[in-house]
Amino acid sequence: MGTALLTDLYELTMAQSYREHGKTGTAVFSLFTRSLPPTRNFLVAAGLETLVTKLEQFRFTGDDIAYLGSLGLFSRDFLNWLEQFRFSGRISAIPEGTVLFANEPLLQVEGPLPEAQVLETLVLNCIHFETLVASKAARIAAVGRGKSIVDFGFRRSHTTEAGIAAARAAWIAGFDGTSNLEAGKRYGIPVVGTMAHSYVMLFDSEEAAFRAYQSSFPDRAICLIDTYDTLACTDTIIRLARQGVPVIGVRLDSGDIGMLTRNVRERLDAAGLPANRIFVSSNVDEYSIDRWLSSGVPIDSFGVGTHFITSSDAPFLDMVYKLVEYEGTPRFKTSPGKTTFPYRRQIVRHHRDGILAYDEVVRTGKDLVPGLLEPVIIDGGLSRPLPTPDVIRERCSREIASLPSPFRSLEKQHYDVRILP
């Protein structure tokens, strides 16, 4: 099956008109974010593998052509062109896992104008969402002070594929695992899970539930202790340990997390169970993690769900796909608040003692000067194999470490990006 109808109508109407009026020369489109959300200091590039995979399948099937013909909008000549459509141009992109900022080209598409235009919606769809959630995940991980953080967001994702893409983006950005089994299978991400309140409620007592679960999974028993009375249930965990039924950790999913976690930790330590970990999954995001850890709340691991997978504080990026060059001549907008910069461009990054200092966005010729953007697609084909998620994760870790320390906090910072003529 093709993916070519994963586009907006106006991409095709423009492409037909371009062809009818002889506008088929080489065009350059740039994908960038105009400005960062107020709650973001940086972005993390992601989604390139998804884009490449869908581009390889980007074909108009017989059914697609029949549907388009039924709209009464397109000429027979244009439908014949769509039947043979294969992207023949070039795509250059920042590698996934790279930190970037506003007005920096994340990706550039070069090719015959109608071809490059048709890809606009697909490019934005793939790159926008995964960059959005990777950036949220990196922000969460950056304030985690080395604590384990896992993705629990699948059930709140906007479609199943979005949930899988988000789990991959989170792994790249520094999370330690996911509850999402399909993401674990596809990308080799460690899978993590505990139990639901329904499991505890099914049994006649919490003790009976925990005994049953520990007998089934003796090395993975993290018990959910807030179904009824969290502190009373902590005493149940202690009693089980003294009876030779140990669990490796407890999970809290409601209530006053700061107060409850301190009390649970005190009781476990007093009972000689300092190794029993405390896992929290109640409305967790970077703000709550930073608040809890800054005040010394003894939490070992976090499960982040809704706020992560919906990027609740910044649910979209002002990301756009704009024509910047046609047949070697500049193309740009001057409308207020939406000015664009013409020509192919490259990002040249400058460091001081291994820490990011400033970036220059410079004009380039047909061949890119050395910088962050690298060729991915040449003459319509993949230029080299894409890296694995684990390799991208390592890149992202180095990138985050290279940020000035204030940029890894929740305080708003401004990075120096210089747009050169």
Side-chain angles (χ1 to χ4, degrees), residues 91 156-157 192-193 235 279 333:
I91 295 178
R156 299 289 174 82
S157 66
V192 180
D235 293 337
F279 187 101
K333 290 177 61 176

Side-chain angles (χ1 to χ4, degrees), residues 320-342:
V320 292
Y321 180 92
K322 294 301 180 184
L323 179 68
V324 296
E325 186 175 317
Y326 180 69
E327 290 288 80
T329 61
R331 294 290 187 269
F332 54 95
K333 290 177 61 176
T334 59
S335 52
K338 294 191 174 183
T339 299
T340 61
F341 304 98

Side-chain angles (χ1 to χ4, degrees), residues 7-185:
T7 192
D8 291 309
L9 174 62
Y10 81 162
E11 313 293 8
L12 300 191
T13 56
M14 284 190 290
Q16 175 170 304
S17 188
Y18 289 150
R19 286 174 48 80
E20 290 174 349
H21 294 279
K23 302 294 186 182
T24 58
T26 299
V28 181
F29 285 83
S30 179
L31 180 78
F32 61 96
T33 300
R34 287 193 182 102
S35 61
L36 299 189
T39 54
R40 295 290 179 273
N41 290 330
F42 62 90
L43 301 177
V44 173
L48 184 60
E49 180 179 299
T50 301
L51 173 61
V52 168
T53 299
K54 291 189 179 299
L55 188 57
E56 289 172 341
Q57 303 165 359
F58 198 85
R59 304 288 185 271
F60 290 89
T61 66
D63 285 346
D64 295 340
I65 298 299
Y67 167 70
L68 293 173
S70 74
L71 298 178
L73 294 172
F74 301 109
S75 68
R76 185 66 254 173
D77 176 74
F78 183 66
L79 293 175
N80 289 341
W81 180 77
L82 291 180
E83 282 186 306
Q84 305 302 317
F85 183 92
R86 303 290 186 274
F87 178 66
S88 63
R90 176 189 183 101
I91 295 178
S92 301
I94 293 177
E96 289 192 271
T98 303
V99 163
L100 73 153
F101 304 92
N103 288 313
E104 296 189 323
L106 200 160
L107 179 145
Q108 289 180 153
V109 176
E110 307 174 34
L113 176 58
E115 293 184 23
Q117 185 70 70
V118 165
L119 298 188
E120 175 182 9
T121 301
L122 181 68
V123 169
L124 275 165
N125 182 272
C126 294
I127 302 298
H128 172 268
F129 175 71
E130 294 189 40
T131 296
L132 175 74
V133 291
S135 303
K136 177 71 169 179
R139 179 175 160 89
I140 293 170
V143 300
R145 297 164 173 79
K147 304 290 186 178
S148 176
I149 301 174
V150 298
D151 157 40
F152 272 13
F154 192 34
R155 64 189 60 190
R156 299 289 174 82
S157 66
H158 299 165
T159 77
T160 55
E161 284 302 313
I164 295 165
R168 177 184 181 273
W171 174 248
I172 287 169
F175 281 23
D176 298 290
T178 180
S179 65
N180 185 327
L181 287 172
E182 180 62 27
K185 175 186 173 184

Side-chain angles (χ1 to χ4, degrees), residues 129-402:
F129 175 71
E130 294 189 40
T131 296
L132 175 74
V133 291
S135 303
K136 177 71 169 179
R139 179 175 160 89
I140 293 170
V143 300
R145 297 164 173 79
K147 304 290 186 178
S148 176
I149 301 174
V150 298
D151 157 40
F152 272 13
F154 192 34
R155 64 189 60 190
R156 299 289 174 82
S157 66
H158 299 165
T159 77
T160 55
E161 284 302 313
I164 295 165
R168 177 184 181 273
W171 174 248
I172 287 169
F175 281 23
D176 298 290
T178 180
S179 65
N180 185 327
L181 287 172
E182 180 62 27
K185 175 186 173 184
R186 287 192 196 182
Y187 304 117
I189 304 170
V191 291
V192 180
T194 60
M195 62 176 62
H197 289 103
S198 57
Y199 186 89
V200 179
M201 294 161 63
L202 180 68
F203 290 83
D204 292 336
S205 67
E206 290 171 309
E207 178 174 338
F210 299 157
R211 283 182 177 275
Y213 198 84
Q214 199 275 342
S215 69
S216 296
F217 304 102
D219 299 323
R220 297 180 61 90
I222 296 177
C223 294
L224 186 58
I225 61 173
D226 70 327
T227 305
Y228 308 113
D229 183 319
T230 300
L231 297 182
C233 192
T234 303
D235 293 337
T236 298
I237 294 293
I238 293 169
R239 184 168 62 253
L240 287 172
R242 288 171 175 167
Q243 294 173 0
V245 187
V247 298
I248 65 170
V250 297
R251 174 179 158 216
L252 282 74
D253 192 53
S254 62
D256 184 338
I257 294 297
M259 181 273 291
L260 288 171
T261 302
R262 285 189 172 93
N263 286 332
V264 168
R265 183 77 272 162
E266 289 174 2
R267 294 188 184 204
L268 292 173
D269 289 350
L273 299 173
N276 199 303
R277 299 174 61 82
I278 297 178
F279 187 101
V280 167
S281 58
S282 175
N283 292 317
V284 178
D285 61 11
E286 65 267 43
Y287 303 102
S288 57
I289 290 174
D290 189 58
R291 183 175 66 253
W292 288 328
L293 296 184
S294 294
S295 61
V297 177
I299 302 172
D300 300 294
S301 304
F302 299 93
V304 294
T306 302
H307 292 294
F308 152 64
I309 211 154
T310 63
S311 189
S312 59
D313 63 326
F316 69 92
L317 301 173
D318 189 14
M319 187 178 287
V320 292
Y321 180 92
K322 294 301 180 184
L323 179 68
V324 296
E325 186 175 317
Y326 180 69
E327 290 288 80
T329 61
R331 294 290 187 269
F332 54 95
K333 290 177 61 176
T334 59
S335 52
K338 294 191 174 183
T339 299
T340 61
F341 304 98
Y343 295 114
R344 294 178 181 87
R345 290 189 173 265
Q346 176 62 284
I347 303 169
V348 180
R349 180 155 287 173
H350 299 269
H351 297 77
R352 294 191 187 98
D353 300 322
I355 301 300
L356 271 64
Y358 66 95
D359 289 357
E360 294 177 315
V361 180
V362 303
R363 176 183 170 185
T364 70
K366 187 172 183 180
D367 295 322
L368 287 174
V369 300
L372 297 186
L373 288 153
E374 301 175 352
V376 177
I377 301 289
I378 298 175
D379 296 330
L382 193 62
S383 62
R384 63 181 182 277
L386 296 176
T388 66
D390 287 351
V391 171
I392 299 169
R393 176 182 171 88
E394 291 172 4
R395 170 190 286 275
C396 189
S397 177
R398 295 192 301 270
E399 289 280 308
I400 300 298
S402 74

